[in-house]
Amino acid sequence: MSLQILYRDEQLIAINKPHGLLVHRSPIAADAGEFAIQLLRNQVGQRVYPVHRIDRKTGGVLLFALDKDTEIQMQQQFAAHQVLKKYLAIVRGFTPDQQEIDYPLAKENGALQEAFTVYQTLRRAELDVPFGQHPTSRYSLVEASPRTGRMHQLRKHFKHILHPIIGDRPHGCNKQNKLFNEKWGMNTLLLHAAYLAFKHPVTGEAVAIEAPIQEEFERVMKIMNW
C-alpha cells in the first residue's frame, strides 16, 4: 500500500490515512497486519512519530513528526487544544443548521471527562428509500470540530444527539448500517478527518493541511446527489 502524502518538510509529514488502517499495533486489533507507522516508515525510509491519533475506522489527515523534539512539541499543542481539527461526517436524519454539543464522556475507568464539539450542517438529502415506518430516508453532511480530544468523541456525540454517523459500530444505528450494507454494499464509517491547522513548532508559521475524501465516502456523496 502506498500512502498519500499531504504535507512534508524537515520536521513533519502528514498522510491521508485510509479507512480501516490502524495507526500502530494494538492488542485489541490482533487481526491487523498493516499499520500506518510501519507503512510510512518504509515509504519514506526513516522513523516517523505519530503526534495524535485517529481511530482505525476513520480516514483523513494523520500527522507525524520526523524527530523526537518535534513529536513532543506537537503533542503539547494537541494537549493544549491549540490545533484546529475539522471532520466531515454523514449522519442519520436532518441535523440543525449548527449546534454545540457539550456532553461529558466516560473513560474506561468510568471517570467523566468534559467533551465539547461544534458542528454545522453543509448538505441534506432525502432519498426515496423506505426506512422503518418512514417512506423515505434522510441524511445530513456535517462539518464537525471537536474542541476536546476524547476517544470516539464525535461518534459518541452524534449518537447522543440521535444523529449517529453512518457505518459506525457500536455507537451507530444498526438498522441504518444494515440498509447501507445491503442496498449499496457499503460498511465504511463515514467519518473523515478533513483538516488540521496549527503553528509550526520550528518556524512558527501557520500550517493548514487538507485531506480529500476517499473512495467510499465519495461514492456515498454521489448516492446523496451532493
Side-chain angles (χ1 to χ4, degrees):
M1 182 189 299
S2 180
L3 299 168
Q4 180 186 12
I5 296 176
L6 303 170
Y7 176 90
R8 184 176 183 179
D9 61 26
E10 292 183 1
Q11 290 83 30
L12 296 166
I13 186 168
I15 64 167
N16 190 0
K17 186 187 83 67
H19 296 270
L21 180 65
L22 275 171
V23 176
H24 54 77
R25 193 178 300 276
S26 170
I28 62 173
D31 62 307
E34 289 188 315
F35 312 93
I37 290 177
Q38 168 197 21
L39 291 171
L40 185 59
R41 180 195 65 204
N42 294 344
Q43 189 169 326
V44 301
Q46 67 179 101
R47 289 194 67 178
V48 296
Y49 306 84
V51 299
H52 68 125
R53 301 285 189 268
I54 56 177
D55 60 49
R56 180 179 187 175
K57 296 180 180 180
T58 304
V61 182
L62 182 62
L63 183 65
F64 296 83
L66 295 174
D67 61 78
K68 260 316 215 187
D69 287 344
T70 303
E71 177 193 22
I72 293 168
Q73 291 181 64
M74 284 308 307
Q75 286 179 346
Q76 289 172 345
Q77 283 197 48
F78 275 93
H81 312 305
Q82 295 171 341
V83 179
L84 176 61
K85 299 172 284 187
K86 295 181 182 179
Y87 289 74
L88 295 175
I90 298 176
V91 303
R92 182 187 72 186
F94 283 179
T95 48
D97 289 346
Q98 56 189 23
Q99 187 176 2
E100 298 180 352
I101 308 171
D102 187 358
Y103 179 68
L105 297 174
K107 297 197 295 186
E108 289 184 359
N109 63 7
L112 287 178
Q113 293 179 302
E114 65 171 351
F116 188 75
T117 300
V118 298
Y119 76 86
Q120 60 176 330
T121 300
L122 304 179
R123 304 291 294 272
R124 297 183 181 93
E126 185 166 11
L127 304 184
D128 290 327
V129 176
F131 182 75
Q133 298 179 344
H134 304 284
T136 61
S137 298
R138 292 180 170 186
Y139 304 98
S140 299
L141 173 67
V142 299
E143 180 186 83
S145 294
R147 300 296 168 83
T148 49
R150 309 308 179 201
M151 185 175 180
H152 294 178
Q153 177 173 320
L154 294 180
R155 297 163 67 174
K156 292 176 179 178
H157 270 179
F158 280 101
K159 175 187 179 181
H160 172 68
I161 64 168
L162 306 180
H163 293 288
I165 300 172
I166 301 301
D168 190 3
R169 296 175 182 83
H171 309 296
C173 172
N174 289 334
K175 292 180 179 179
Q176 281 286 351
N177 295 342
K178 183 179 179 182
L179 171 69
F180 270 75
N181 191 24
E182 292 180 350
K183 187 169 182 63
W184 295 295
M186 201 294 301
N187 54 20
T188 300
L189 172 66
L190 296 177
L191 178 62
H192 176 74
Y195 180 87
L196 274 185
F198 55 91
K199 186 172 80 170
H200 195 285
V202 174
T203 68
E205 295 179 354
V207 177
I209 304 171
E210 295 186 64
I213 59 173
Q214 297 166 21
E215 184 178 354
E216 284 292 86
F217 203 113
E218 188 171 13
R219 183 161 73 91
V220 177
M221 295 275 282
K222 290 177 180 176
I223 291 170
M224 301 292 170
N225 292 315
W226 291 333

